[in-house]
Amino acid sequence: MDYEEPQFFRVMQYAATADRDVIDMVSGNPDWEPPEALRDALREYAGLDPAAFQYPASDGLPELREAIADRRGVDPDQVVVTVGTGEANYLAMARAFERDAGDEAILLDPVYPYYPGKVELLGGTQRLVPTARDGGIDLAAIREAMSDRTALVMVNTPNNPTGAVYDPDAVAEVVRLAERHDALVVVDEVYDRFDHSGRFESALAIDSPNRIVTGGFSKSLAITGFRVGYAITPPEHADSLRARHMLVNVTGPAPSQYAVHHALQATEHEYFAASRELLSDRIDAFTDALEAAGAEYTTPDGGFYVLARFDDFPGTMANVERLIDEAGVAGMPGETFGTAREEWIRFALVTPRAREAAERLAAYFE
Amino acid sequence: MDYEEPQFFRVMQYAATADRDVIDMVSGNPDWEPPEALRDALREYAGLDPAAFQYPASDGLPELREAIADRRGVDPDQVVVTVGTGEANYLAMARAFERDAGDEAILLDPVYPYYPGKVELLGGTQRLVPTARDGGIDLAAIREAMSDRTALVMVNTPNNPTGAVYDPDAVAEVVRLAERHDALVVVDEVYDRFDHSGRFESALAIDSPNRIVTGGFSKSLAITGFRVGYAITPPEHADSLRARHMLVNVTGPAPSQYAVHHALQATEHEYFAASRELLSDRIDAFTDALEAAGAEYTTPDGGFYVLARFDDFPGTMANVERLIDEAGVAGMPGETFGTAREEWIRFALVTPRAREAAERLAAYFE
């Protein structure tokens, strides 16, 4: 396994050592408060008997699995609690490849960089398929790309980096195509709580043995460091995911799972609505300033990323470093997300200084 | 990946539903107190800014990596913090196989059941090599088994289940053999704090690019559920371990790593000495009662497992279930640890009722 330092660490390090004030819009780390109940639960956990500090069930604390199943409307047997959504994706993708049903993964371009990394780790080959101009699913392109070699189609909605919320009918059609080609569709819904469009529908509504849904609490509870995610899998694949999870990690972290379970019990709809509203305000402030500056940009239907394009300033690492040094704003080069957004730069709205950042960009490109 | 319900869950479930009082000596979950500083640190963490709840560095909180490096006398660059020792073993074993240097893993019999499971997951083939009658390394047997097909030799000292503490010279010789055959030796030292013999020496003393050491805090700090372990790797393999760790799990749990780091800073030698003494007393009580009953047993040099053998009562799952029902003591069948201890039953001394358990066994076999 070759190790390529992830570009996003490289940008963050560059920004951290810059000789000026830099507004960090690189990572996907929420900067807002987790639910108070999460802090309380962690304090409570710290006082429990030693037995509570030992291995939880490998597939997750039973009460957490039940809470997830309840919220997602599935049977607890279908839920495997994982070390973040990252591990859930890894387990589901591994399942796709181990079935002797092809070695090719269809990834949608622009692509979240961990997906091609995982495909390579698992010995698969990737095939990048373009999305529509607006970031939506291009069914014709997917249909054309699929063959008996296809083992996996990876779908992420709401999407990082485009902010697209996929049409549920299009996702259902991708699953139908996958059934025909004996492929699995893994739908990563980690941004499901950040639907600004009102049009997001979980792929759990699609009844198919070829569909696995992944998700987690890193973004929705603002705790990327806690490492609590999950896969929801049809019975056909549940044993495989459980076995690999156990052999790789034994089990996930009990303190995190305990805290997340209690936070879920106590967290009302209002918490998630407040996060969405906070982001919505930042999106408005950021895109208004970009608009005033005459830049091209996306207004996300979901998630918390905005893509922006500036004239004669492609989304290369060199240009991102120039923006850090000369404008005091750090984003992610579009070239790190496949080929489809090489002209663009991604900005994560995980800072209260979003408007100020856009104004800096406007002044710089004036 | 086929999923076989781990035998140890099966035994624990059987014991939990038994219609009588059962002394649980199945799992490797410590029943004693973690350091008080660990509880304090978790409470402190619960009050930190949201930034502390986000992704730690993928290879671990820098201050934790430094603390581990410091204690182990290595450079922090060689330390990768993992999701328990289980993930550290997985990463190191994967590295052994990915080098195109053979597909065979030499495992010492009796064997910790996760090792063959991981070998299978990674597409390797296992070769069980017997240990000496006392559980020590049989160098001649290993020498004979090694060939150019050998990619990996898995070593665990202090050993689960035999309690053997390997002769450091023998481990060094295994590493020399591995160098000759282009194999890696992974030395799992998770029980390093439970050396009752005074003879344990870490394989870190062996300077070789073919040696990776794994360890963790699950046992030494009595927190199997926290999921904090580590691999210490020569520079040649560091990138591979880091890349796979990142692609599988992104990073480990921040609350756990924070708590472990603070516990390490505050935990004196006395804490570990007290755990050892507690276990030592339990070993004495348990083996004295077995001795009085005329049973054959091992007295562990390290770790917290005792193997016992009773006349005409082999270590099968059926017999272990009989012991639960008829004697009220739950152990692990020797047949689950390879072929070398099929006549034996393993008892984990993670209960204050060790003497009572041995007395129950004595009465049962009288």
Side-chain angles (χ1 to χ4, degrees), chain A residues 53-78:
Chain A
F53 293 175
Q54 309 311 319
Y55 296 123
S58 179
D59 57 5
L61 284 179
E63 59 269 31
L64 175 60
R65 282 176 61 219
E66 272 163 39
I68 294 167
D70 193 45
R71 294 200 153 215
R72 295 298 235 143
V74 299
D75 190 277
D77 283 351
Q78 297 188 25

Side-chain angles (χ1 to χ4, degrees), chain A residues 1 39 46 48 54 98 225 254, chain B residues 1 39 46 48 54 98 224-225 254:
Chain A
M1 197 69 224
R39 296 179 180 274
L48 296 181
Q54 309 311 319
E98 76 178 14
Chain B
M1 198 66 222
R39 295 179 180 273
L48 295 181
Q54 309 311 320
E98 75 178 15
T224 55

Side-chain angles (χ1 to χ4, degrees), chain B residues 18-19 32 41 52 70 98 139 155 201 208 214 225 261-262 264 291 362-363:
Chain B
D19 200 18
W32 51 90
D70 194 44
E98 75 178 15
L139 268 180
V155 171
E201 279 180 34
S208 168
T214 61
H261 170 244
H262 284 258
L264 283 181
E291 175 78 28

Side-chain angles (χ1 to χ4, degrees), chain A residues 88-89 91-97 99 101 104-108 115 137 139 142 146 150-157 166-189 202-204 206-214 231-234 237 241:
Chain A
N89 286 333
L91 299 177
M93 292 165 84
R95 174 58 181 164
F97 288 118
R99 297 165 310 125
E104 207 170 71
I106 290 185
L107 305 177
L108 305 189
Y115 299 157
I137 282 184
L139 269 180
I142 293 177
M146 287 188 81
T150 312
L152 167 70
V153 185
M154 197 69 208
V155 171
N156 170 221
T157 177
Y166 292 158
D167 173 6
D169 293 337
V171 178
E173 180 58 22
V174 174
V175 174
R176 295 286 93 82
L177 289 169
E179 287 174 349
R180 221 168 296 155
H181 291 288
D182 196 13
L184 294 192
V185 182
V186 177
V187 187
D188 176 347
E189 300 184 349
S202 170
L204 288 171
I206 306 163
D207 187 23
S208 169
N210 295 58
R211 176 274 299 138
I212 296 177
V213 168
T214 61
I232 297 178
T233 171
H237 314 300
L241 269 63

Side-chain angles (χ1 to χ4, degrees), chain B residues 6-359:
Chain B
Q7 303 289 359
F8 104 98
F9 280 117
R10 183 172 153 189
V11 178
M12 286 203 297
Q13 267 157 18
Y14 191 90
T17 56
D19 200 18
R20 60 164 296 161
D21 171 62
V22 177
I23 302 176
D24 177 3
M25 304 181 79
V26 178
S27 81
N29 282 329
D31 65 308
W32 51 90
E33 273 288 318
E36 189 56 37
L38 181 112
R39 295 179 180 273
D40 292 342
L42 207 51
R43 288 186 192 100
E44 184 181 284
Y45 178 87
L48 295 181
D49 280 347
F53 293 175
Q54 309 311 320
Y55 297 122
S58 178
D59 56 5
L61 284 179
E63 59 269 32
L64 175 60
R65 282 176 60 220
E66 272 163 40
I68 294 168
D70 194 44
R71 292 198 156 216
R72 295 296 237 144
V74 298
D75 189 278
D77 284 350
Q78 297 189 25
V79 178
V80 181
V81 179
T82 56
V83 178
T85 314
E87 191 209 349
N89 286 333
Y90 161 75
L91 298 177
M93 291 165 84
R95 175 57 181 165
F97 288 118
E98 75 178 15
R99 297 166 309 125
D100 289 325
D103 65 350
E104 206 171 72
I106 289 184
L107 306 177
L108 305 189
D109 190 6
V111 67
Y112 173 60
Y114 273 89
Y115 298 158
K118 285 178 210 262
V119 169
E120 192 195 338
L121 179 79
L122 290 163
T125 59
Q126 59 160 305
R127 181 157 180 168
L128 276 184
V129 173
T131 44
R133 173 80 189 158
D134 67 356
I137 283 183
D138 181 341
L139 268 180
I142 293 177
R143 195 178 288 117
E144 192 185 309
M146 288 189 80
S147 72
D148 288 347
R149 287 191 59 191
T150 311
L152 166 71
V153 185
M154 197 69 208
V155 171
N156 169 219
T157 178
N159 188 266
N160 172 11
T162 66
V165 168
Y166 293 159
D167 172 6
D169 292 337
V171 178
E173 181 57 24
V174 173
V175 174
R176 295 285 92 80
L177 289 169
E179 287 175 347
R180 222 169 296 155
H181 292 286
D182 197 13
L184 294 192
V185 182
V186 177
V187 187
D188 176 347
E189 300 182 351
V190 71
Y191 295 100
D192 63 349
R193 289 284 184 181
F194 303 99
D195 172 28
H196 312 298
S197 70
R199 291 186 292 99
F200 173 76
E201 279 180 34
S202 170
L204 287 171
I206 307 163
D207 186 22
S208 168
N210 294 58
R211 177 273 300 139
I212 296 177
V213 168
T214 61
F217 304 98
S218 292
K219 314 287 181 179
S220 63
L221 298 181
I223 47 165
T224 55
F226 274 52
R227 316 311 301 133
V228 184
Y230 55 84
I232 298 178
T233 172
E236 289 82 349
H237 314 298
D239 282 358
S240 165
L241 270 63
R242 286 199 163 81
R244 185 174 287 262
H245 171 65
M246 179 173 289
L247 289 170
V248 169
N249 286 324
V250 184
T251 175
S256 301
Q257 292 186 13
Y258 184 93
V260 165
H261 170 244
H262 284 258
L264 283 181
Q265 298 305 101
T267 301
E268 303 295 327
H269 192 70
E270 285 72 31
Y271 173 81
F272 302 108
S275 305
R276 264 198 310 277
E277 206 170 313
L278 172 81
L279 283 168
S280 211
D281 290 347
R282 288 180 182 175
I283 292 168
D284 287 347
F286 191 68
T287 54
D288 284 354
L290 290 175
E291 175 78 28
E296 199 177 349
Y297 58 88
T298 59
T299 303
D301 282 340
F304 43 72
Y305 304 102
V306 167
L307 289 162
R309 195 165 81 86
F310 306 97
D311 283 344
D312 301 319
F313 200 84
T316 61
M317 183 60 77
N319 276 339
V320 160
E321 291 179 354
R322 267 175 71 191
L323 274 193
I324 291 170
D325 290 328
E326 296 172 15
V329 180
M332 271 299 288
E335 67 178 15
T336 58
F337 299 96
T339 66
R341 291 297 184 280
E342 287 175 346
E343 297 296 311
W344 300 68
I345 296 172
R346 188 198 75 172
F347 297 96
L349 299 184
V350 291
T351 165
R353 299 168 73 192
R355 180 190 300 273
E356 186 187 350
E359 285 164 357

